[in-house]
Amino acid sequence: MTTLTTPQRDFGLTGEQTDGDIRALSFSTPNLPVRVFQNGGHVEIGSRAIVVNPGVTPVPFYPSGLRDHIAPLGAAFLREVSLRSDTTLVTLALDRLSAPADLCSAPGWRRLDTLPGMASVPGAAGLPLFRSPRDRVTTIQATPDRLAPTLPPGPPQCWGVFMNLWFAPAGTACLIHNSHPFLEYHVQISGDGAMQKFRRNDPSTLYENQYLAPGAAHGIYAVQPAGDGSFLYPWHQYVARTDCLWLAVELVPEGPAPKPHTSDTHTGQCCHH
C-alpha cells in the first residue's frame, strides 16, 4: 500500500451568526477567512463563499422562498443566502482570494516532502504540493456504512473531523496512493482540479476522471477496512489542471458513540467537540 497522511474574526464577507459559537480555523488568513459555526445558529452568507457541511444531515437554505440544501458531507458555492443549521458549518470567504499561491507563505504551511514521513515517499522530493496547518473542526456520530456504503455496518462511532488546505500549481500530479488512516473527501476552493482513479499504481491505468470546479465536493470513495485500523482506497490522486487550492476533510474514527441520552441523535453530532 502507498499511504499519504498528511486568526482574525472578519464578518464582513460571509455575514455573521446570531447565536451559537464561531471561531477562525488555524489556516484562516485575511485573504481567505475560514470560520467554523457550531452549536446551531443562523448564518447569513453575503458575498461569494464556499460553505462546507461536515455533518450527516442536510443543511437547508431558502433562496427566493424555495427550499434547497447543502448535502451531508458536501459543500456549495453560495452568495446572498441565509442558512439555519443545528450542527456545524464551515465557511470560506472568497472575495479577497486573488493569489492562492501566496497562502503557501502563511505561517504553518509546508511543502509535502517536509512533512513527517514524506521525504522518503517516491516522487515527493521537490513536488510543489503545499499543505496548510490542520485543524480539528468538530466530531460527528455515524455508523461506518453511513459514511461509506462499502464499509460493513456496525454500531455508531464518533469521528473526529479535521480540515486543512492544499495548494499545487498548474500541471501538478499529487502522487498516486491507496491508503489512509481516515475517511476523506475534498472540496475545490479555487482553480480547476480533478480526482483520478487507477487500476494500479500506474498512471497509464487511469479509469476515472472526476473534474472539480470551485464549490464541488467528491464523495467518500469505495473503501474497505485494511485490517490495521486504516482504510484501503482505490488507487487515486489529485491533479491540478490550473493553479489549485482545495480543502481536505478527514474523518478519523475515535471509538464508540456515546449512548443516546448523551448525544444529539438528530444531527449526528457527538456530545464533545
Side-chain angles (χ1 to χ4, degrees):
M1 295 187 296
T2 299
T3 305
L4 294 183
T5 52
T6 54
Q8 285 180 315
R9 286 192 172 187
D10 178 350
F11 299 98
L13 297 178
T14 57
E16 64 180 84
Q17 178 168 325
T18 57
D19 50 7
D21 300 325
I22 181 173
R23 71 175 177 91
L25 294 187
S26 61
F27 48 86
S28 180
T29 68
N31 289 335
L32 182 63
V34 184
R35 296 184 291 273
V36 56
F37 299 84
Q38 292 179 314
N39 300 328
H42 181 76
V43 182
E44 290 288 337
I45 304 298
S47 298
R48 302 179 308 140
I50 291 173
V51 183
V52 182
N53 173 17
V56 295
T57 56
V59 172
F61 60 96
Y62 299 88
S64 302
L66 301 175
R67 188 184 191 280
D68 207 334
H69 70 275
I70 305 175
L73 309 179
F77 196 158
L78 301 176
R79 59 175 296 171
E80 297 179 0
V81 299
S82 298
L83 301 109
R84 177 81 192 185
S85 176
D86 293 327
T87 181
T88 299
L89 289 175
V90 173
T91 64
L92 299 95
L94 301 182
D95 277 4
R96 298 175 185 166
L97 184 64
S98 59
D102 292 347
L103 294 173
C104 298
S105 60
W109 279 76
R110 299 176 64 178
R111 198 172 69 185
L112 178 70
D113 58 1
T114 69
L115 296 173
M118 294 306 302
S120 61
V121 172
L127 187 72
L129 174 60
F130 300 86
R131 194 189 76 175
S132 76
R134 184 171 179 258
D135 203 338
R136 185 189 186 103
V137 173
T138 188
T139 307
I140 63 171
Q141 176 183 321
T143 60
D145 58 312
R146 185 171 185 182
L147 301 178
T150 54
L151 290 176
Q157 295 186 33
C158 280
W159 303 79
V161 179
F162 296 80
M163 294 185 182
N164 64 263
L165 290 169
W166 290 96
F167 174 83
T172 305
C174 300
L175 299 185
I176 301 173
H177 54 289
N178 72 337
S179 179
H180 288 296
F182 44 74
L183 302 178
E184 71 165 1
Y185 60 98
H186 301 95
V187 180
Q188 189 76 15
I189 306 303
S190 177
D192 294 320
M195 288 297 295
Q196 299 180 328
K197 296 180 189 175
F198 305 86
R199 293 181 175 85
R200 298 184 300 279
N201 186 10
D202 178 347
S204 70
T205 65
L206 173 71
Y207 70 87
E208 182 179 349
N209 248 328
Q210 183 176 7
Y211 295 111
L212 298 173
H218 69 80
I220 296 173
Y221 286 160
V223 299
Q224 298 292 336
D228 60 357
S230 65
F231 299 96
L232 187 64
Y233 285 70
W235 291 101
H236 66 285
Q237 73 172 350
Y238 183 93
V239 172
R241 303 172 66 214
T242 65
D243 288 2
C244 279
L245 182 71
W246 66 101
L247 181 76
V249 185
E250 301 170 355
L251 281 61
V252 179
E254 296 184 336
K259 294 180 180 180
H261 70 276
T262 61
S263 65
D264 183 342
T265 56
H266 172 68
T267 63
Q269 199 80 24
C270 281
C271 60
H272 58 282
H273 299 286

